[in-house]
Amino acid sequence: MPVSNFEYYQLSPFILIGLGIIISVVIEMITKKSEQILPWLSILLFLAISIYSIVNINNHAILFGGMIEVGGKPAIFNFIFNIGAMLIVMSSIGYLKKYGTYYGEYYIIVQSSVLGMMIMAGSKDILMVFLGLELMSICFYVLAGFNRKKLSANESSLKYFLLGSFATGFIVYGIALIYGTAGNTSLLYITSNFASLSSNIIFVTGFVLFLIGFSFKIAAFPFHMWVPDVYQGSATTVTGLMSTTGKTAAFSVLIISIAATFTLNAPNVFKPYFSVIAALSMLFGSIVAISQNNLKRMLAYSSISHAGYMAIGLAAANTQSISGIIFYLAAYAFMNIGAFTVISIIEGEGDTRIDIDSFAGLHTKSPVLAAFMSLFMFALAGIPPLAGFFGKYYVFVGAIEGGLTWLAIVGVISSMISVYFYLRVVVYIYFRDSIEEFKPEISSFSLSAVIISGAFVLIFGILPDLLLNVINSVINL
Amino acid sequence: MEQNLLLTYLLFTPIIGSVAVLFFGKNQTKFIRWFGLFVSLIAFVISLIIYFGFDSSKPQFQFLHQVLWISSLNVSYNVGVDGISLLLVLLTTFLTPLTLLSTWNAIEKNVKMFTFSMLFLEAGMLGVFVSLDIFLFYIFWEVMLIPMYFIIGIWGGERRIYASIKFFIYTMVGSLLMLVAIIWLAVYASGITGKFTTNLLELYKVGPTIPHQIQGWMFGAFFLSFAIKVPLFPLHTWLPDAHVEAPTAGSVILAGVLLKMGTYGILRYCLPLFPQSAINFAPLISVLAIIGIIYGALVSMVQTDIKKLVAYSSVSHLGFVVLGTFAMTVEAVQGAVIQMVNHGLSTGALFLLVGIIYERTHRRDIAYYGGIAKLVPLYAVALMIASLSSVGLPGLNGFIGEFLILLGTFKSSVLNSWWYTVFAATGVIFAAVYLLWMYQRVVFGEVKNPELKEHLTDLNVREFVVLIPILIFIVWIGIYPSTFLGMTEESTKSILQHVSSFTFDILK
């Protein structure tokens, strides 16, 4: 099939980031100061692509003979990936010096992982999904162990790699079965023939294997084993990237792959699967998070529980709940990146000051950080009118419309539990006296990242229509 | 029309004020205090303008202002007041400046954040009372948790962290179930009217058509949330902790306004939305209310801490309000509404008075005091009026509310038994016992502690200014309650008519 120039034009975000990666590699080779140039390049690149994505949201097209989709839902996902990566890069600059990995390669790998995510979100062919997933995952394995001198980083990288490969195995096996029964790898073909294909037990088995692989990537119970250790062992900014954009990418694939059930009215055969996963993830994540003192570990469990809330939307699988998930993902990206950025500012050298004790009396040390950290905690806990609340609200509306009231009730029970550990952070920040005296080094970059995240959390909370209308306008494409 | 924007001005004045406070310097303490007072006084003036523009002969909501907020979910910023909500709005705007003024000595630490929290809290409380969209209501309901949580947690007593978390989680537990019920209701409404809606006035028509079995659950979800806030026995255990640990200002607002949000919610949401279930559950809830009245009174009697005594008396007094609401006669509900205001004034005054001596001596145990009438005569008089008002002495406000509630309960066809009245009336007697006994031990007799002579000074001008308006209203309501009853009469009747129009088959 001939490819027109226009298709290349529409592919420009992918080409742009690809070029960015190549240029970065060249800069890394020729100069010794790449670690000072590359952050700027990455920030500009990510900012450009995120603006491009939002502006071109209505230029919806499927390119290269049904391989990749641009505009529409992928554009929203691309926005989340790029703005998220931009914030992470901003908070990384100061952090990497402290962490002992002040190298330019870091930014190249972050860019590559974002390219992987963009391919995942845009893929219209099951093999493209795999391509994007591997690109993203391998970058994450590397990023997790980026500080090779550190034992915990090595552990987290290895653990992530082994378990991640296992999950990939599931996905490939699932793809094989799907291809074997459907005779086609095109997602368009699979979704439009879903109703007839889903009567074939082997097809459904393949599909479930595929979903299990991605359940691992979204960190849902019972495929969550890697999450706490990897989140704790990796650099804080890397954890921020994995837990938000990585999760968003995995969810984007889940949304594409079950699209048949909510756009074409095929029977929702995965409802029991997602309902159980959602309920267990929410409860498990919230309950275990209560006893965590290490903030990164606490946010890891909270991430499991948030995956559960979003999975409610997959179980209900109606347009309302799917747009709810997308909103939730955007909201989650900002509140979580914000929280991780604050942690990365407080963190001292050599894994110190990531316990909740270090946050005691923070409001006397830095009122601004204290206020924003509390904002993020309230948002994660789902207090209105912050973005996190609306994410939950839309998902619950979808669930109740889809007849899953019980799941919404499990969701609010889990929210009640989670309020406790989010509030605990606020208690330490405002109500306790400082335990350890230190002066947090707040670079203007990381502070801007915190402020931008906080602004989005507030804006999406007070004017959720801004984002929701955009999502609703493309949800059925 | 400009008049319709008044409620919006009222709501946004404290919000803008609180945001403005954030930009002031940390050390401009004096300026921030005056600014906070100024903003809350503006809000009070606006609420007075609304009061004078309000037509109490109409039962409908007035000063309506509606703007579409979230189009995809059909949620509007929709505000309006009827007599009942206007009365509570006035109570809020009246108490907030007085409370702010009362803290000028008590709050030394981080005045900026305190003023921010108080103004933000005022906005949240006003929002709860004026929302006519159930979703908007929920947002305000939750939002006001945060400033209250900080007020208890930062400026509270020794066990403040425990108390603030307990307060937050208790309220959250109830309100999250209410959230599910709200969504369910809106989804159900979309099946009937064809539109997903959270507009309260539309839901009034939809709610009663819910099948009885499910309506019971919905009523339960809403009621649980309100009952925790009231607090109704046996969900009251957060209240003594929160009250005792909170700073004086927190206690005054908590008792004065926050608890009323629960009883207001019952009246505005539980009754009209789920009338059949409300009638079905009325006897059960009334029994709980009466247990609360008696239990609260008995526990107050044995307290050694003055503040705890006043806190438990709230459980008792709000039992009356719940009982009156579920008696569902015009007298009882009118009494319940006026009792909400009464309790706000008298308990607010009591907390202020406890706070005033605590500031001087840092002691709250009754045994420490004694004979202070000789040392601080003005203070003793003020405490006398506040206590007697809380007891329900004829001529003061408490009597009006309790009398109307008891009268209405006696005549109630929903409860249909005079035993309720008999048991509830014992609460009035117990109230006399614990309050007067406390008064006697604190104020009369010989001065037991020589320390008192050194530390205790009488009311200063600022404290006088704080207390006088409250005492005026205590007497005003007691002598001429028509000013206030007239405001709420039509609104009360309209709610009860709405309830009985759907429950005719159950009643007869």
Side-chain angles (χ1 to χ4, degrees):
Chain A
M1 202 184 292
V3 178
S4 69
N5 286 340
F6 187 62
E7 288 195 25
Y8 283 115
Y9 165 71
Q10 287 193 304
L11 206 60
S12 45
F14 293 84
I15 295 172
L16 202 60
I17 196 159
L19 277 176
I21 294 168
I22 294 168
I23 293 170
S24 304
V25 171
V26 173
I27 292 174
E28 169 68 27
M29 282 191 298
I30 57 175
T31 84
K32 287 242 161 68
K33 287 185 177 168
S34 63
E35 65 272 8
Q36 286 167 24
I37 305 165
L38 290 186
W40 283 99
L41 185 76
S42 312
I43 289 171
L44 289 177
L45 189 66
F46 291 139
L47 186 64
I49 297 172
S50 51
I51 292 171
Y52 177 92
S53 308
I54 277 300
V55 171
N56 287 290
I57 200 147
N58 291 319
N59 292 343
H60 180 253
I62 294 170
L63 311 174
F64 297 105
M67 277 293 170
I68 201 148
E69 185 186 12
V70 292
K73 283 196 290 286
I76 297 176
F77 288 125
N78 286 351
F79 171 74
I80 302 175
F81 301 147
N82 283 288
I83 205 101
M86 182 188 87
L87 294 171
I88 287 294
V89 168
M90 286 167 78
S91 60
S92 296
I93 299 169
Y95 178 76
L96 290 184
K97 278 186 209 161
K98 202 159 55 179
Y99 187 67
T101 50
Y102 191 47
Y103 309 125
E105 289 93 335
Y106 175 86
Y107 302 99
I108 304 174
I109 303 173
V110 171
Q111 288 167 6
S112 313
S113 73
V114 171
L115 179 62
M117 294 172 206
M118 286 165 66
I119 294 175
M120 279 166 86
S123 53
K124 275 282 157 189
D125 190 288
I126 216 156
L127 288 173
M128 288 296 285
V129 171
F130 184 68
L131 196 70
L133 173 71
E134 280 307 275
L135 183 51
M136 177 191 86
S137 302
I138 290 171
C139 293
F140 279 172
Y141 304 147
V142 177
L143 283 175
F146 202 69
N147 188 348
R148 59 180 193 281
K149 290 170 201 145
K150 224 174 89 177
L151 211 58
S152 61
N154 283 325
E155 183 206 337
S156 99
S157 175
L158 196 62
K159 201 165 201 167
Y160 193 17
F161 175 66
L162 289 176
L163 290 172
S165 314
F166 199 60
T168 311
F170 271 88
I171 293 171
V172 178
Y173 194 29
I175 290 176
L177 291 182
I178 292 170
Y179 179 60
T181 45
N184 204 325
T185 55
S186 161
L187 276 167
L188 218 54
Y189 175 84
I190 294 169
T191 44
S192 51
N193 295 296
F194 197 84
S196 58
L197 284 170
S198 62
S199 58
N200 187 338
I201 185 73
I202 297 177
F203 173 80
V204 174
T205 313
F207 219 99
V208 168
L209 285 173
F210 184 77
L211 295 183
I212 286 178
F214 279 97
S215 307
F216 172 89
K217 297 289 175 190
I218 62 169
F221 185 90
F223 313 107
H224 64 279
M225 295 305 185
W226 60 281
V227 180
D229 293 333
V230 173
Y231 279 25
Q232 188 185 355
S234 311
T236 307
T237 48
V238 172
T239 312
L241 189 72
M242 287 194 294
S243 65
T244 55
T245 55
K247 196 192 281 279
T248 310
F251 261 104
S252 72
V253 173
L254 286 172
I255 289 170
I256 301 164
S257 52
I258 65 152
T261 57
F262 70 90
T263 51
L264 300 167
N265 294 324
N268 187 355
V269 285
F270 307 115
K271 195 179 216 166
Y273 174 78
F274 283 122
S275 307
V276 170
I277 286 221
L280 293 177
S281 306
M282 289 186 291
L283 290 175
F284 175 83
S286 302
I287 291 170
V288 180
I290 288 178
S291 60
Q292 304 302 324
N293 272 329
N294 182 310
L295 275 184
K296 278 162 85 175
R297 226 176 157 79
M298 186 203 97
L299 284 176
Y301 284 106
S302 112
S303 151
I304 296 171
S305 135
H306 280 281
Y309 295 117
M310 297 174 198
I312 294 180
L314 295 175
N318 46 40
T319 38
Q320 176 69 53
S321 73
I322 298 297
S323 55
I325 299 178
I326 300 177
F327 185 93
Y328 201 143
L329 285 165
Y332 182 70
F334 290 114
M335 47 204 193
N336 223 24
I337 288 178
F340 274 112
T341 306
V342 176
I343 296 174
S344 78
I345 295 172
I346 302 296
E347 192 177 328
E349 274 168 42
D351 264 355
T352 52
R353 299 208 296 257
I354 39 178
D355 282 349
I356 196 165
D357 286 343
S358 312
F359 280 75
L362 183 67
H363 78 286
T364 53
K365 295 181 187 125
S366 166
V368 177
L369 281 188
F372 274 103
M373 189 65 176
S374 311
L375 179 78
F376 298 132
M377 288 299 129
F378 284 127
L380 283 165
I383 309 286
L386 300 170
F389 166 74
F390 282 96
K392 275 184 194 159
Y393 182 76
Y394 297 134
V395 172
F396 290 162
V397 170
I400 291 172
E401 275 181 358
L404 287 170
T405 309
W406 71 272
L407 209 49
I409 292 175
V410 176
V412 298
I413 291 173
S414 153
S415 297
M416 292 167 198
I417 302 170
S418 69
V419 165
Y420 176 76
F421 58 83
Y422 292 126
L423 276 192
R424 223 178 94 181
V425 179
V426 181
V427 164
Y428 271 79
I429 291 177
Y430 279 101
F431 304 168
R432 300 229 171 180
D433 292 328
S434 171
I435 297 172
E436 184 188 348
E437 281 311 321
F438 62 91
K439 185 131 184 61
E441 290 165 38
I442 310 171
S443 74
S444 52
F445 268 116
S446 29
L447 188 64
S448 330
V450 171
I451 291 172
I452 293 171
S453 312
F456 273 108
V457 168
L458 273 175
I459 291 170
F460 287 163
I462 294 166
L463 297 168
D465 250 5
L466 285 181
L467 181 60
L468 206 64
N469 283 347
V470 175
I471 296 173
N472 281 334
S473 68
V474 297
I475 190 75
N476 284 322
L477 287 178
Chain B
M1 223 170 80
E2 211 226 325
Q3 210 197 17
N4 290 359
L5 289 174
L6 275 174
L7 278 176
T8 306
Y9 293 150
L10 175 65
L11 205 51
F12 278 85
T13 305
I15 294 182
I16 294 168
S18 65
V19 174
V21 167
L22 289 181
F23 293 97
F24 295 151
K26 218 180 157 106
N27 297 323
Q28 293 168 284
T29 313
K30 204 170 172 192
F31 177 68
I32 291 173
R33 280 181 176 146
W34 278 105
F35 181 79
L37 185 66
F38 176 68
V39 170
S40 60
L41 281 174
I42 294 182
F44 181 57
V45 170
I46 297 176
S47 67
L48 280 183
I49 297 173
I50 294 172
Y51 169 72
F52 288 115
F54 182 80
D55 181 357
S56 58
S57 63
K58 286 193 210 142
Q60 289 92 1
F61 286 97
Q62 297 171 34
F63 299 97
L64 291 165
H65 183 207
Q66 187 170 10
V67 181
L68 190 63
W69 177 28
I70 308 172
S71 59
S72 47
L73 289 168
N74 198 17
V75 171
S76 307
Y77 165 83
N78 188 0
V79 292
V81 283
D82 68 352
I84 299 170
S85 38
L86 180 57
L87 198 58
L88 292 166
V89 164
L90 286 167
L91 179 69
T92 311
T93 53
F94 171 72
L95 281 180
T96 308
L98 296 180
T99 316
L100 276 169
L101 192 61
S102 78
T103 60
W104 283 17
N105 275 349
I107 305 290
E108 293 287 343
K109 187 169 80 176
N110 212 341
V111 175
K112 178 174 156 183
M113 180 138 175
F114 180 79
T115 314
F116 168 79
S117 300
M118 285 294 287
L119 291 176
F120 202 70
L121 183 64
E122 183 181 17
M125 297 185 298
L126 290 172
V128 165
F129 294 133
V130 300
S131 303
L132 288 183
D133 188 290
I134 199 162
F135 184 81
L136 191 68
F137 163 79
Y138 179 81
I139 293 204
F140 284 118
W141 177 268
E142 290 278 274
V143 152
M144 53 98 290
L145 277 181
I146 297 175
M148 197 64 216
Y149 168 72
F150 280 120
I151 289 174
I152 300 176
I154 297 182
W155 297 276
E158 241 167 71
R159 290 165 64 242
R160 59 182 199 278
I161 294 177
Y162 170 77
S164 60
I165 292 184
K166 194 170 178 181
F167 163 75
F168 201 101
I169 289 184
Y170 253 77
T171 321
M172 199 72 183
V173 166
S175 54
L176 278 168
L177 283 176
M178 180 167 75
L179 178 65
V180 176
I182 289 174
I183 300 174
W184 195 93
L185 195 62
V187 171
Y188 179 81
S190 70
I192 294 206
T193 61
K195 218 166 63 179
F196 185 91
T197 182
T198 47
N199 185 322
L200 185 62
L201 301 179
E202 282 178 45
L203 289 178
Y204 275 168
K205 294 171 210 145
V206 173
T209 66
I210 301 172
H212 283 204
Q213 181 86 30
I214 303 172
Q215 205 193 68
W217 286 102
M218 300 292 289
F219 175 84
F222 272 81
F223 186 75
L224 179 69
S225 168
F226 298 140
I228 288 175
K229 199 79 171 196
V230 168
L232 189 69
F233 178 89
L235 303 165
H236 64 277
T237 56
W238 64 270
L239 181 89
D241 286 314
H243 264 321
V244 172
E245 298 308 322
T248 304
S251 301
V252 173
I253 291 292
L254 198 60
V257 187
L258 248 65
L259 305 187
K260 274 66 196 192
M261 288 169 35
T263 45
Y264 172 78
I266 293 172
L267 202 52
R268 173 74 70 231
Y269 295 91
C270 278
L271 252 53
L273 282 175
F274 317 111
Q276 295 95 337
S277 307
I279 299 229
N280 285 338
F281 286 111
L284 176 69
I285 293 168
S286 302
V287 169
L288 287 178
I290 290 172
I291 294 177
I293 293 173
I294 297 173
Y295 169 86
L298 289 177
V299 177
S300 293
M301 227 180 273
V302 297
Q303 295 305 318
T304 53
D305 180 326
I306 310 177
K307 208 171 180 187
K308 226 170 183 165
L309 184 145
V310 181
Y312 273 107
S313 81
S314 287
V315 178
S316 179
H317 285 305
L318 283 158
F320 275 105
V321 179
V322 174
L323 178 68
T325 310
F326 279 92
M328 295 189 214
T329 55
V330 178
E331 292 89 351
V333 176
Q334 286 259 67
V337 174
I338 205 78
Q339 183 68 6
M340 289 186 213
V341 179
N342 291 341
H343 176 257
L345 296 173
S346 53
T347 310
L350 282 173
F351 275 124
L352 283 171
L353 287 161
V354 175
I356 286 169
I357 45 169
Y358 181 75
E359 268 172 43
R360 290 163 170 64
T361 61
H362 296 281
R363 295 290 289 266
R364 285 194 311 247
D365 37 335
I366 297 175
Y368 178 78
Y369 294 98
I372 63 172
K374 289 167 195 149
L375 304 171
V376 281
L378 284 176
Y379 177 87
V381 172
L383 186 63
M384 176 66 121
I385 297 173
S387 304
L388 288 178
S389 134
S390 191
V391 167
L393 184 81
L396 295 176
N397 62 352
F399 174 73
I400 306 293
E402 281 169 6
F403 179 73
L404 281 173
I405 290 169
L406 293 176
L407 183 74
T409 312
F410 195 76
K411 295 204 305 195
S412 167
S413 58
V414 175
L415 298 177
N416 201 14
S417 159
W418 48 271
W419 283 107
Y420 292 100
T421 321
V422 171
F423 281 109
T426 60
V428 183
I429 301 165
F430 287 134
V433 176
Y434 64 77
L435 280 166
L436 294 182
W437 192 30
M438 178 275 284
Y439 189 79
Q440 183 207 336
R441 282 180 292 168
V442 171
V443 175
F444 295 142
E446 290 302 311
V447 181
K448 269 190 256 163
N449 260 309
E451 280 176 48
L452 283 173
K453 282 182 188 151
E454 288 168 39
H455 297 298
L456 216 53
T457 46
D458 213 344
L459 300 176
N460 59 29
V461 179
R462 180 179 55 82
E463 286 157 353
F464 222 71
V465 171
V466 172
L467 286 170
I468 285 295
I470 300 182
L471 298 181
I472 288 176
F473 275 100
I474 285 178
V475 178
W476 185 347
I477 297 179
I479 293 172
Y480 193 70
S482 309
T483 327
F484 306 94
L485 291 174
M487 252 169 91
T488 57
E489 189 172 355
E490 289 305 317
S491 313
T492 312
K493 277 183 185 160
S494 116
I495 289 178
L496 290 176
Q497 258 162 23
H498 174 87
V499 172
S500 61
S501 69
F502 286 103
T503 51
F504 194 67
D505 49 329
I506 294 179
L507 282 176
K508 280 287 161 238

